[in-house]
Amino acid sequence: MDKDYLIKKWLADELSPEEAKAFEALEDAPFYKDVIDNASAFRASQFSTVADYQKLNVRLKGSDTKVKKITWIRPLMRIASVFVLGFALYYFFFNENLTKIHTRVGEKVSVILPDNSSVKVNALSEIAYNEKRWGQKREVNLKGEAFFDVAIGAKFDVVTPKGTVSVLGTEFNVLQRGSFFEVRCFEGTVKVNTEDHEEILEQGGSFRIIEGIVTIGKNMYNVPQWTKNISDFQRVAVAQVFAELERQYGVIIIYENVNIEQLFTGGFVHDGLDNALRSITEPLDLEYTILPTNKVRVKPREK
């Protein structure tokens, strides 16, 4: 179907079920939805009710004060319109130029940035950056996990919802999922900025925030193990461990009487679901059952 035709009908809320599917399949569909969502933030003030107007009218008639016609409303509305239009245009041009990389379940992708730095993106993660404006805006937006091998002399910021990592020429790993935020420095130095903290990490150092609690520590390995198809964890809640297994294997974990807040140190290899499940469940004295439709039930081992 014609793209312009679909967009016009979508704006008018007149899409048929078949047309709605075609619109959702458009590559730009998320962008158009974002523009509408942002534009909805600009709301007019509440209108007066009929009763309010009648009261005002009575009060005006009973007063000898001359009411001067307000002439500044229309120019002000023009200014507001220009502001909204300018915001929409900025949003359109800036976001349309973003290079975005999304990974699927179990997928890892390597990317070269404009300054020849390399990024390896873990499963179910996303990075975005503006290639055309890289010289003016050196930022990489990250959701999920990625390992950065920075070119000599290169500088940029890795921006996540939980904090920003400033590159000083180095190798480092950034992980942000929900309230979990972790930065591991493997070479050189990085600066970590969050809402409440600033930390300089040198080679071998790690910075972690879980539920608002900050932990500074040391790395166990010289490179992030997920780049070698191994997910490793250092005193991480079981829920986080199984969530990573879900991302790597595309399964859904069903818990039965499992303390998902207990801490786990260990890992699993990305070479098969059974092996991965055994690596997690055996140290925790749990057992598992692989169910139809990509589900796995986990419960305490029967004694």
Side-chain angles (χ1 to χ4, degrees):
M1 296 184 184
D2 180 68
K3 179 178 177 180
D4 291 339
Y5 168 80
L6 289 173
I7 294 172
K8 288 178 182 177
K9 293 205 67 177
W10 173 71
L11 289 170
D13 197 20
E14 296 176 351
L15 289 174
S16 67
E18 184 182 43
E19 291 168 338
K21 289 182 180 179
F23 175 79
E24 292 295 338
L26 292 176
E27 183 179 354
D28 297 335
F31 165 73
Y32 295 120
K33 292 180 180 178
D34 284 347
V35 170
I36 294 301
D37 289 342
N38 279 279
S40 66
F42 296 94
R43 298 183 301 172
S45 58
Q46 289 185 327
F47 291 102
S48 297
T49 62
V50 173
D52 292 333
Y53 173 75
Q54 291 172 345
K55 290 178 183 178
L56 177 62
N57 201 28
V58 170
R59 292 169 70 181
L60 288 175
K61 288 179 179 178
S63 173
D64 293 332
T65 305
K66 293 183 178 181
V67 180
K68 198 171 185 179
K69 186 178 288 186
I70 300 174
T71 58
W72 48 266
I73 292 291
R74 191 165 293 176
L76 186 61
M77 292 301 294
R78 289 198 190 102
I79 294 171
S81 300
V82 170
F83 172 77
V84 174
L85 179 60
F87 172 82
L89 289 173
Y90 172 82
Y91 188 93
F92 176 81
F93 286 113
F94 179 76
N95 284 278
E96 280 294 286
N97 288 328
L98 285 181
T99 298
K100 295 184 179 180
I101 293 89
H102 305 262
T103 52
R104 299 185 294 271
V105 169
E107 182 183 30
K108 301 175 184 68
V109 172
S110 294
V111 180
I112 301 298
L113 297 178
D115 60 11
N116 289 322
S117 297
S118 66
V119 186
K120 192 162 188 177
V121 187
N122 202 357
L124 286 183
S125 300
E126 174 189 324
I127 65 169
Y129 58 94
N130 195 316
E131 187 170 359
K132 293 182 180 179
R133 297 182 66 244
W134 182 259
Q136 295 78 42
K137 193 173 183 66
R138 295 172 175 267
E139 281 187 1
V140 178
N141 295 310
L142 169 66
K143 295 178 182 178
E145 184 171 18
F147 173 61
F148 295 82
D149 186 352
V150 182
I152 296 175
K155 292 185 178 181
F156 56 87
D157 290 338
V158 179
V159 181
T160 80
K162 289 297 180 181
T164 298
V165 182
S166 297
V167 175
L168 306 174
T170 186
E171 291 184 355
F172 63 99
N173 192 81
V174 182
L175 168 59
Q176 185 278 312
R177 298 192 191 275
S179 63
F180 188 99
F181 177 59
E182 181 185 70
V183 181
R184 301 189 200 178
C185 181
F186 294 96
E187 183 180 291
T189 307
V190 294
K191 181 169 69 174
V192 183
N193 276 295
T194 68
E195 186 175 346
D196 302 313
H197 296 86
E198 179 176 300
E199 190 74 27
I200 299 293
L201 291 182
E202 296 184 348
Q203 182 173 338
S206 68
F207 175 93
R208 177 189 292 179
I209 299 180
I210 305 178
E211 302 295 340
I213 299 174
V214 176
T215 304
I216 307 296
K218 294 291 185 181
N219 299 327
M220 293 180 60
Y221 305 99
N222 295 325
V223 294
Q225 294 299 283
W226 67 264
T227 63
K228 301 168 69 174
N229 291 321
I230 301 171
S231 292
D232 75 297
F233 309 90
Q234 301 175 36
R235 294 183 58 78
V236 174
V238 167
Q240 296 276 356
V241 178
F242 278 117
E244 184 61 27
L245 183 136
E246 289 177 327
R247 283 186 283 271
Q248 296 298 335
Y249 289 99
V251 296
I252 299 173
I253 303 297
I254 301 172
Y255 303 102
E256 290 187 7
N257 302 316
V258 176
N259 178 12
I260 60 175
E261 297 303 321
Q262 68 181 114
L263 300 180
F264 176 86
T265 296
F268 62 84
V269 181
H270 309 166
D271 63 352
L273 181 58
D274 269 311
N275 286 338
L277 285 165
R278 280 198 297 270
S279 298
I280 302 170
T281 57
E282 288 182 1
L284 297 172
D285 204 23
L286 301 173
E287 62 182 27
Y288 67 89
T289 304
I290 299 177
L291 305 171
T293 65
N294 294 326
K295 294 181 180 179
V296 178
R297 183 173 60 240
V298 177
K299 63 180 183 178
R301 192 184 308 279
E302 294 183 3
K303 298 180 180 179

